[in-house]
Structures are given as structure tokens and as C-alpha cells.
Amino acid sequence: MTVPALLPTLASPVADAYARLAEVFPGLRVREPAEGEAVPRGAGWVGADELAAGGPAVDAFLAWDEAQVLRDYGQRARPDVVASFGLHRYAWPACLLITVPWFLHRRVPRLPVADVAFQRTLGRMTVRVRTFACLPGDPAAALPGARVVPDEEALRAEVRAAVVEHLEPVLDGFGPRMRRGKRALWGMVTDEVVEGLWYLGHLLGEEPRAMAELELLFPGTTAARPYVGTAGFRELTGPGGESLPTRDRASCCLFYTLRPEDTCVTCPRTCDADRVRRLSASA
């Protein structure tokens, strides 16, 4: 695909991508602070570096999830279930910060935890992009912090590395509360990357391309470690012969511990007959 022409006034390689994200998914808005402006703290904001440190910041973050479960389901969840919900609610939008610029404009920002903050109640994130990868011929290659990589496969490696750089410290912050090993945690990250961009691809009217890109991003080889498995897509056939895309998650979200009869449609616990019924109804 071709990359858009770079306007002379554009100071950020990802501004257009984040603006498009907000257009199709208003529940998440991303802001880049001005030069010299600090990433926000307080007033409901939490820094990714604070989550990575664990301790009181993670406790406060998870208190929201604990209260939500009690309010919506009338019961308390196990602490590891609460931690899994909280990690998902951070990691899903955090992965989009990287995958959406890649998908739309072939630009991959590097986002250390010190440069990202999250306001979950408002659905806001603040990010400072200091460096990014792009392809030869991209006008953004002239911007400060640009690093040109030779081809699409090298850019996919940049996506995988950027997500690891951002989320590995965050996993360290949540991990002690989750009762999961490293492989299971990276299975969760694999699912966040895939399901986030799959959903955005649908909103953008480019679901088949998003699925194809994700299959290339996660080929299931050692090159993709520490991620687990492939993108996991497959097709089912609906009652009218229609194609119903689905996937098998690499991890479990643990929602079944609250509602055993109501598993996710992409959960390996959900049989194909139930998937067909639920996907046909939603279509």
C-alpha cells in the first residue's frame, strides 16, 4: 500500500493514524503532548511505568475492575481473575497504539512505558513518540527519530518488538497477581494484538486485510517469540452457507469463572455449533 503524503506542518508520524482511530472508535482517543509537556499523572491518569512497577498503582487500577465485577455480576471475582481483567483493559488499547499506525501508514512507534499514560474512565491515552520505524520511500523518514527498515517483514519484526518493549514491563507489574506463567501471559498479549486490530479492521471496513496482516505477523514460528501460536483465524459455515470468520484464543480471559454458561465466542471452550449460532445471530 502507498503511504500518505506528509504535510509540511506534520510533526508526528502517528497523528493521522490516531485521529482515524478516534473517528471509528470514539471510545479511545490518543493525544501526543507538546514539546516539554509532561505525560499526565493524577486525576484518574496512571502511567504505564507506574503499572510496570506494581504495588499501589496496580492495586488502585484493579480496584476499578473489582468494583465493576461486583456491580455487574453481584459476586466477587478471584484476585487472579480481577488482575486478568485489568491487564486486558490496559493491554488491548495499548497494543492499538502500535498496530494502528502500522496497519494504516506502515509506521511503527516505539513506546517505552515512561512515555504512555492511560485514563481508563474517559478512554484517553497520552503518548510521546520519540522514535519509529518506517519503510523506504515513506516521507516520514525525514522526521526526527525515524529509522528506515528494508521491507515488510522487517517492519513486522518491529511491530512485535515494539509490543514486547512496552508490555513486558507491564506484565512484570501484573504478573504476581495473576497466577499464570510466562507462556500464558504472552498468550494473552498475542490475543490482545490480534483481537484489537481485527476489531479495528472491521470498523475501518478492512477486516479481510487485517486478518491477513495478522496471520503474517504471527506465523507461529520461533521468529515470533515470545508470542504464542498463530493468529488463530479459521472459517465456519453459517446456516445459509455464509462464511463466518472466527479464531481460537491463545489464552483464557477467565470470564467463565463468573458466568460458566457464557464463554467468549473465540474461547476454545466454545464449540463450533455455539459459535455458528451466536455469529449468525450477530450478523
Side-chain angles (χ1 to χ4, degrees), residues 123-152:
R124 302 290 187 266
M125 299 191 86
T126 298
V127 303
R128 189 184 305 282
V129 177
R130 303 178 192 271
T131 63
F132 67 98
C134 63
L135 292 171
D138 187 336
L143 291 176
R147 185 163 55 83
V148 178
V149 298
D151 53 31
E152 291 280 2

Side-chain angles (χ1 to χ4, degrees), residues 188-212:
M188 288 187 67
V189 174
T190 306
D191 288 330
E192 305 299 355
V193 174
V194 173
E195 299 206 344
L197 189 59
W198 184 23
Y199 180 66
L200 261 293
H202 169 72
L203 296 181
L204 290 162
E206 296 192 69
E207 183 177 7
R209 184 169 79 86
M211 294 168 70

Side-chain angles (χ1 to χ4, degrees), residues 47-54 58 113 166 169-174:
D49 54 346
E50 295 177 289
L51 296 177
V58 174
V113 290
H166 184 75
V170 176
L171 294 184
D172 290 340
F174 280 84

Side-chain angles (χ1 to χ4, degrees), residues 41-259:
R41 292 288 191 273
W45 287 91
V46 62
D49 54 346
E50 295 177 289
L51 296 177
V58 174
D59 291 338
F61 190 80
L62 295 180
W64 189 97
D65 298 278
E66 187 171 25
Q68 177 266 320
V69 168
L70 186 59
R71 181 183 68 248
D72 291 353
Y73 304 110
Q75 64 185 94
R76 293 193 178 277
R78 298 187 328 231
D80 61 306
V81 174
V82 172
S84 295
F85 288 2
L87 177 60
H88 160 67
R89 286 163 175 159
Y90 176 77
W92 193 88
C95 290
L96 292 175
L97 298 175
I98 296 166
T99 59
V100 168
W102 166 64
F103 184 70
L104 291 178
H105 301 314
R106 288 316 199 237
R107 297 168 188 168
V108 181
R110 287 298 186 110
L111 298 173
V113 290
D115 291 335
V116 178
F118 184 37
Q119 220 291 5
R120 67 185 303 170
T121 304
L122 300 177
R124 302 290 187 266
M125 299 191 86
T126 298
V127 303
R128 189 184 305 282
V129 177
R130 303 178 192 271
T131 63
F132 67 98
C134 63
L135 292 171
D138 187 336
L143 291 176
R147 185 163 55 83
V148 178
V149 298
D151 53 31
E152 291 280 2
E153 180 50 44
L155 202 63
R156 285 190 284 271
E158 288 289 331
V159 175
R160 294 189 291 263
V163 173
V164 168
E165 180 184 31
H166 184 75
L167 282 184
E168 189 167 37
V170 176
L171 294 184
D172 290 340
F174 280 84
R177 296 163 169 81
M178 296 187 60
R179 295 169 52 189
R180 300 196 192 200
K182 284 290 188 182
R183 178 177 173 81
L185 290 173
W186 283 106
M188 288 187 67
V189 174
T190 306
D191 288 330
E192 305 299 355
V193 174
V194 173
E195 299 206 344
L197 189 59
W198 184 23
Y199 180 66
L200 261 293
H202 169 72
L203 296 181
L204 290 162
E206 296 192 69
E207 183 177 7
R209 184 169 79 86
M211 294 168 70
E213 297 277 14
L214 288 162
E215 287 176 329
L216 292 171
L217 186 66
F218 295 125
T221 64
T222 57
R225 289 178 181 173
Y227 301 97
V228 176
T230 66
F233 292 116
R234 57 192 180 93
E235 287 191 0
L236 300 173
T237 302
E242 69 275 21
S243 174
L244 300 173
T246 188
R247 72 176 295 262
D248 293 317
R249 291 177 56 90
S251 69
C252 181
C253 71
L254 302 181
F255 183 71
Y256 78 92
T257 62
L258 297 174
R259 291 290 186 271

